[in-house]
Amino acid sequence: MRIGVDGRELAGSARTGIGRYVMEVLRAASRDGWECVVYGDARTRPVTLPGVTLRVLDGRWTQCWDQVMLPRQLARDRVSAFLSPYYKGPLFAPCPVVLTIHDLFFLDYPGRRRPLHRAMMTRVARLYARRATAIIADSEYSKRTIVERLGITPASVTVIPVALGAEFRPEPGTEAVRSRYAISDPYILYVGNFRPHKNLPRLIRAFAALDAPLRGRHVLVLAGGDRANRPALEALAKGLGVADRVVFPGQVHDADLPALYSACALFVLPSLEEGFGLPALEALACGAAVVAADRAAIPEVVGDAGLLVDPEDEAAIAAAITRVLSTPELRESLRRRGLERAREFPHDRTAGAVLALLRRVSEPR
């Protein structure tokens, strides 16, 4: 079995969720003795795994790389099946193509009206989806959205949840990590980017609405390297008089995330839209109590292991935060339930399911 994988996400020192997904699949394929050809460009770093080969294709124009260079090389390499970690892939490939559609933000970003862009990208995405042999979605919510928006049959979409890294588990000895990011008080944690769909202005306003004694005992930590959207949040915190209680530690190193999750008093994910909601799962796996939005795919991930709230109701967010921080028995119960919930997402399940799908589509029909 020889598979091809689009490896352009493995660029330099940058680490992304899609990059982690690609590496999990490559590691599993290598362990199973499969041959893997990773197709990249000049920025793609080599992958040092048995049976894995990097093929650098010269193509400065993305469409040329996707639709001309890649199909030619797939034919030369006699690849059995090709995995794209994106919504797009070669339209005329010499082998079955499996796409991975994490969400449909590229069609119509929440809160931004671009009708011409939406119409054009929807037509393009429908073409890619209909030409693909199979499509992977992260959640049942994403599957329903893909089927509805792209007009494809439900049978062509397979739900494979995002992999939870094995490193996400309760981690003691977190003082050094807290010191590194200048976090001293008990803290409420958010991890992610600061784009509008993450709903952080409402979280900041909910934090500002907490009773003064409770707010005075905690800080709100918004962890993420989103420099473009950070100033507006800082200005909001200042305007509400809580700038000294809202901490922006910047980008947190991957190795520090388990400790940061483990030490928080509460993790909050108030997003209006998520194709999966991986930070909530990571927090559960590290033993954090979780309050999360009752929207999109988040309830699928959190289940009954966290408190789900209406993310557009600031009073409800504040009430849930207050309830968890003021009730040690509830917080401990949520921690236990979260650890149990996280065990339903073993780190090797995703990669194994992806390999099974690749094997299935490569079999003669």
Side-chain angles (χ1 to χ4, degrees), residues 188 203-216 218 314-315 317-323 325:
I188 302 162
L203 176 57
I204 293 173
R205 286 193 287 268
F207 176 74
L210 298 178
D211 288 344
L214 185 63
R215 189 177 66 245
H218 297 83
E314 293 167 17
I317 298 172
I321 292 173
T322 298
R323 185 180 168 201
L325 296 181

Side-chain angles (χ1 to χ4, degrees), residues 234-255:
E234 290 177 320
L236 175 61
K238 182 178 180 180
L240 293 170
V242 294
D244 62 329
R245 308 304 297 168
V246 179
V247 179
F248 293 88
Q251 188 70 45
V252 175
H253 192 278
D254 286 347

Side-chain angles (χ1 to χ4, degrees), residues 32-221:
D32 287 359
W34 290 22
E35 289 185 69
C36 305
V37 183
V38 176
Y39 297 95
D41 54 23
R43 301 171 303 153
T44 306
R45 66 178 184 268
V47 179
T48 54
L49 290 171
V52 178
T53 303
L54 173 62
R55 192 85 73 212
V56 176
L57 305 183
D58 183 21
R60 294 177 180 82
W61 185 40
T62 300
Q63 287 298 329
C64 180
W65 195 100
D66 289 345
Q67 306 303 333
V68 179
M69 306 298 294
L70 178 58
R72 286 179 182 173
Q73 197 61 50
L74 290 172
R76 294 189 187 113
D77 292 335
R78 298 183 179 180
V79 165
S80 305
F82 177 75
L83 173 67
S84 167
Y86 310 114
Y87 72 92
K88 62 179 183 174
L91 295 173
F92 299 98
C95 62
V97 171
V98 176
L99 304 180
T100 310
I101 304 181
H102 301 283
D103 54 54
L104 294 179
F105 288 174
F106 62 92
L107 296 184
D108 191 15
Y109 185 77
R112 183 182 301 170
R113 294 183 59 81
R114 296 185 296 175
L116 291 178
H117 172 87
R118 182 177 66 243
M120 180 186 71
M121 289 303 299
T122 299
R123 291 187 65 179
V124 170
R126 283 176 176 167
L127 177 60
Y128 285 130
R130 290 170 181 173
R131 294 290 301 179
T133 308
I135 295 169
I136 295 171
D138 295 340
S139 62
E140 292 292 343
Y141 168 80
S142 289
K143 176 177 179 175
R144 291 192 299 271
T145 305
I146 291 166
V147 168
E148 177 183 342
R149 297 287 300 275
L150 302 187
I152 57 177
T153 62
S156 64
V157 183
T158 299
V159 175
I160 302 178
V162 175
L164 174 65
E167 69 273 21
F168 290 102
R169 58 186 182 276
E171 185 171 313
T174 59
E175 287 302 320
V177 172
R178 292 177 60 176
S179 176
R180 187 174 303 134
Y181 297 103
I183 303 170
S184 55
D185 293 325
Y187 60 97
I188 302 162
L189 178 65
Y190 162 84
V191 174
N193 64 58
F194 301 159
R195 296 173 72 184
H197 74 283
K198 296 298 186 178
N199 200 32
L200 295 182
R202 286 193 177 97
L203 176 57
I204 293 173
R205 286 193 287 268
F207 176 74
L210 298 178
D211 288 344
L214 185 63
R215 189 177 66 245
R217 293 194 298 271
H218 297 83
V219 294
L220 174 62
V221 176

